[in-house]
Amino acid sequence: MRDNEGISEIMNAIVYYSNTNQSKHIAQYFQTKLNYPLIQICDAQTRDFDNLAIVFPIHCQGLPDAVKSFLSDAKIKNLTAVATYGRMCHGNALFEIQKEYGFNLVAAAYVPTKHTYTEDKEFDGYSRLDRIVQKILNPAPITIAKSYKNPFSEFFKSSRCRAGVKIRKNDNCDGCGVCEKICDNNAIKKGVTNKKCIRCLKCAQNCPKKALRFSLHPVMKLYLKKKKIDDLVIYV
């Protein structure tokens, strides 16, 4: 379902990129507080905003490609950036946005939520985000502190994903094509993934026949057993 057509006259908006609905839920909370149009990143027909809040997940301790592409083309007077992370290392994405794109950041946050590959709880401290809402309504520049990022996080990201997580279809697949339609990366056809797949599991979670299953490599399982980080970091 698409939340808004992203028409060109929109000057204030909440744009989100979300594969498993964690970031979408947070974007929806901001929408209820601000009454700004809510737009999926792929539907945004304009790149020119007065006030924009963008909500997205951390991928391999960095920005998803879809977010990089969007920000590269955008003109934004006041930007709020909210990054969700699966209670592992959130990396340095917010600092990178400020450094690489030069927007006037007025608020930002790292929000701990459910990891795609685990049964962790979803984020439920929505009222704690109201500080961000107030800052959006009363914008003033902030400075993002540099955070720790694994120096190897950018190396062979897609290869690591494919090695760590396997997606397979079973006999329930009837070729309905839902997985192809919803994949943002054109990474699956008839239930079979290709090298563009980032293992976000959007296909598996939305398959009407439950025909897609995923399995984790032992190294990935070991990684996911690390102590969880539950820090909500807010810059206002």
Side-chain angles (χ1 to χ4, degrees), residues 29-106:
Y29 180 77
F30 287 127
Q31 199 275 333
T32 63
K33 292 291 183 176
L34 295 164
N35 201 31
Y36 289 175
L38 182 66
I39 310 169
Q40 290 190 70
I41 200 167
C42 60
D43 291 337
Q45 296 174 13
T46 182
R47 295 290 191 274
D48 195 344
F49 300 93
D50 285 335
N51 298 285
L52 176 72
I54 185 168
V55 187
F56 59 89
I58 295 294
H59 284 178
C60 295
Q61 300 184 27
L63 293 171
D65 289 342
V67 175
K68 290 180 181 179
S69 178
F70 177 86
L71 294 177
S72 294
D73 295 334
K75 294 181 180 179
I76 305 166
K77 182 178 178 181
N78 297 312
L79 175 66
T80 295
V82 177
T84 62
Y85 72 103
R87 292 189 167 89
M88 308 300 283
C89 180
H90 55 59
N92 203 32
L94 300 179
F95 178 84
E96 291 171 0
I97 287 177
Q98 188 165 59
K99 179 181 177 182
E100 296 296 327
Y101 300 98
F103 295 120
N104 180 42
L105 273 173
V106 300

Side-chain angles (χ1 to χ4, degrees), residues 155-198:
F155 287 84
F156 307 109
K157 290 190 295 185
S158 59
S159 297
R160 295 204 319 268
C161 287
R162 293 196 300 273
V165 183
K166 299 295 183 184
I167 299 175
R168 297 181 176 87
K169 69 174 181 178
N170 57 37
D171 292 339
N172 291 340
C173 180
D174 62 1
C176 69
V178 168
C179 57
E180 296 176 41
K181 293 176 183 177
I182 65 172
C183 180
D184 297 319
N185 301 298
N186 297 315
I188 189 168
K189 187 174 181 63
K190 296 182 179 180
V192 179
T193 60
N194 58 42
K195 290 184 178 181
K196 296 180 181 179
C197 180
I198 62 172

Side-chain angles (χ1 to χ4, degrees), residues 58 61 89-96 109-110 144-151 153 233 235:
I58 295 294
Q61 300 184 27
C89 180
H90 55 59
N92 203 32
L94 300 179
F95 178 84
E96 291 171 0
Y110 291 111
I144 303 295
K146 191 173 184 178
S147 303
Y148 171 77
K149 181 177 181 178
N150 189 307
S153 62
V233 183
Y235 300 93

